């Protein structure tokens, strides 16, 4: 049976831990509000750009002069997976869910005989991926010094990806991230960047048919690189909101668990103390009767 001093030490230790988890929960809640506002503000622009480029792409789809970012290389032998996770832990299953989705994709591609290359954004994803796929990793983007995600961060990542595509290092690029839905729910998402895929193009046959000046190919050649940077930026913002939501939820659960543990240890402490007092009384009474 644990002695009273050990139980008191454990109770004090868990109370200190509860203070830390409670503080982290409050910090995550404050950061979540800003991150959620940024993610939600970026969505309309990204959706509208996707719709406009989708409509442009329909007219240029069969053009022999269509940009490579739209037409692709004509094969899909080499896949670049951009795995975006967080720099810090203590956020529940946030990072693991992204890495799990990426691992499933890697297994699927390797089973099909494809070559896989991995570019990681965020330390936690890199730590998990390098254990099993260290030989597939070609670059890591360190975001530990970035306090607030800016478009420039996404632009640098997109520029590196586009440079690798221009030098024929891969055929297909896909970014993995968590899309923010609620504090309790983040959706692991795999979004293809290259060749460009547009999900919000207007499929209504009665929709107005626009004529563009200059031609569709020229506009796409200019806008597609911006679209890739925008999609990466959106993924980073969604990840930022999802991370804070997951951390807030995880720290709330940790705080509750610490409270439950304190209650259980306090009961055990009181019972142990009561048993010790009872034993002492029995010894005193037994000694008095012996006299």
């Amino acid at each position: 049976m644990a002695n009273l001093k050990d139980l008191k030490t454990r109770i004090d230790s868990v109370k200190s831990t509860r203070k830390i988890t409670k503080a982290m929960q409050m910090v995550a809640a404050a950061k979540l509000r800003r991150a959620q506002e940024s993610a939600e503000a970026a969505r309309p622009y990204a959706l509208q750009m996707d719709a406009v480029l989708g409509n442009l792409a329909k007219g240029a789809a069969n053009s022999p002069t269509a940009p490579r970012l739209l037409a692709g290389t004509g094969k899909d032998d080499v896949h670049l997976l951009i795995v975006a996770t967080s720099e810090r832990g203590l956020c529940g299953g946030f990072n693991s869910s992204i890495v799990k989705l990426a691992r499933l994709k890697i297994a699927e591609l390797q089973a099909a005989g494809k070559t896989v290359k991995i570019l990681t954004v965020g330390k936690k994803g890199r730590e998990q991926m390098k254990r099993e796929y260290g030989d597939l990793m070609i670059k890591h983007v360190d975001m530990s010094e970035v306090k607030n995600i800016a478009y420039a961060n996404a632009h640098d990542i997109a520029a590196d990806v586009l440079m690798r595509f221009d030098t024929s290092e891969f055929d297909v690029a896909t970014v993995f991230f968590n899309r923010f839905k609620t504090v309790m729910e983040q959706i692991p998402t795999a979004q293809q960047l290259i060749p460009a895929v547009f999900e919000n193009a207007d499929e209504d046959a009665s929709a107005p048919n626009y004529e563009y000046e200059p031609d569709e190919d020229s506009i796409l050649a200019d806008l597609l690189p911006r679209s890739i940077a925008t999609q990466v930026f959106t993924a980073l913002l969604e990840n930022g909101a999802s991370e804070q939501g997951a951390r807030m939820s995880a720290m709330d659960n940790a705080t509750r668990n610490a409270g439950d543990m304190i209650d259980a240890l306090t009961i055990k402490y009181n019972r142990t103390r009561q048993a010790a007092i009872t034993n002492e009384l029995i010894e005193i009474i037994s000694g008095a009767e012996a006299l």
Side-chain angles (χ1 to χ4, degrees):
M1 181 182 293
N3 59 45
L4 293 176
K5 183 179 179 181
D6 291 340
L7 288 172
K8 190 69 170 64
T9 301
R10 288 187 63 189
I11 291 172
D12 291 341
S13 176
V14 177
K15 283 182 177 179
S16 298
T17 301
R18 183 173 64 174
K19 289 180 182 179
I20 295 172
T21 57
K22 184 64 176 179
M24 292 185 67
Q25 178 190 350
M26 295 175 67
V27 171
K31 290 183 177 181
L32 171 62
R33 182 177 179 182
R34 296 193 297 269
Q36 184 178 354
E37 288 175 351
S38 298
E40 291 177 347
R43 286 174 185 171
Y45 178 80
L47 291 173
Q48 189 61 35
M49 173 172 276
D50 188 76
V52 170
L53 289 176
N55 290 328
L56 280 167
K58 288 193 298 184
N62 299 321
S63 172
T65 59
R68 287 182 76 233
L69 290 175
L70 176 64
T73 61
K75 54 185 180 179
D76 65 341
D77 296 335
V78 183
H79 287 250
L80 175 64
L81 308 187
I82 305 165
V83 183
T85 55
S86 68
E87 291 288 342
R88 299 168 183 84
L90 298 177
C91 48
F94 168 78
N95 294 305
S96 297
S97 62
I98 299 172
V99 172
K100 180 180 179 181
L101 182 63
R103 281 175 172 159
L104 290 174
K105 184 66 175 178
I106 292 171
E108 176 187 336
L109 292 172
Q110 290 182 334
K114 309 297 183 181
T115 300
V116 177
K117 298 181 179 181
I118 302 172
L119 188 156
T120 55
V121 181
K123 182 174 69 175
K124 291 302 176 180
R126 176 175 177 269
E127 290 175 351
Q128 293 188 44
M129 299 293 289
K130 72 179 181 180
R131 300 170 192 166
E132 191 174 355
Y133 305 110
D135 57 328
L136 305 181
M137 299 172 67
I138 59 173
K139 184 176 181 180
H140 172 67
V141 179
D142 186 358
M143 301 280 284
S144 58
E145 300 300 323
V146 178
K147 301 300 181 183
N148 296 307
I149 298 171
Y151 182 78
N153 304 122
H155 182 271
D156 292 342
I157 296 172
D160 180 74
V161 172
L162 289 170
M163 180 273 294
R164 295 177 185 277
F165 182 69
D166 290 339
T167 55
S168 301
E169 289 189 29
F170 65 88
D171 302 311
V172 181
T174 307
V175 61
F176 294 81
F177 62 98
N178 259 330
R179 191 179 301 280
F180 179 80
K181 186 174 182 181
T182 66
V183 172
M184 300 297 295
E185 184 178 4
Q186 300 86 37
I187 305 172
T189 304
Q191 182 172 325
Q192 183 173 308
L193 299 178
I194 302 173
V197 175
F198 304 105
E199 299 177 355
N200 298 296
D202 195 345
E203 299 293 341
D204 187 358
S206 63
N209 189 13
Y210 296 102
E211 293 186 3
Y212 295 93
E213 180 66 31
D215 60 277
E216 288 91 343
D217 291 348
S218 300
I219 298 175
L220 285 169
D222 182 67
L223 290 184
L224 282 172
R226 301 187 192 184
S227 173
I228 291 172
T230 298
Q231 291 180 74
V232 173
F233 184 44
T234 301
L236 294 179
L237 290 176
E238 294 284 348
N239 248 10
S242 297
E243 177 189 351
Q244 298 305 331
R247 180 171 290 113
M248 179 181 170
S249 178
M251 291 301 100
D252 179 57
N253 290 334
T255 302
R256 293 174 185 272
N257 291 338
D260 293 340
M261 185 176 291
I262 290 170
D263 292 341
L265 288 172
T266 301
I267 292 172
K268 187 175 181 180
Y269 174 84
N270 291 336
R271 287 177 176 172
T272 303
R273 182 169 176 269
Q274 184 179 10
I277 293 172
T278 301
N279 287 334
E280 289 178 3
L281 289 174
I282 291 173
E283 290 174 0
I284 293 172
I285 294 171
S286 298
E289 290 178 350
L291 294 175

